[in-house]
Amino acid sequence: MAREELTRLTGSGAGECKKNDCPNIYRTVEGNFVVQGAVSRTFQPPFGEGLVEIPEATLREAFRALGW
């Protein structure tokens, strides 16, 4: 799936984060979420899964974008 196929819920793409390099949350056409953030080494997830860390403010921004 290409980034262009996702709905970006967070980040304006301007300022300190530039275009694509900061924590973000995207929504897929199916209604699932894709999270972009710093790789976390908290624990080893199951094969095929990954862990990322994102700031609370990023989650709050995504919730606002969804009207939650």
Side-chain angles (χ1 to χ4, degrees), residues 2-47:
R3 186 182 306 222
E4 295 77 25
E5 298 175 69
L6 304 171
T7 300
R8 187 175 180 162
L9 300 175
T10 58
S12 64
E16 179 180 322
C17 290
K18 298 186 179 57
K19 188 172 181 186
N20 299 312
D21 62 347
C22 56
N24 282 299
I25 298 175
Y26 301 87
R27 194 165 195 185
T28 68
V29 190
E30 296 83 11
N32 296 317
F33 297 95
V34 176
V35 179
Q36 174 186 348
V39 174
S40 176
R41 306 262 187 252
T42 308
F43 64 89
Q44 183 63 43
F47 179 78

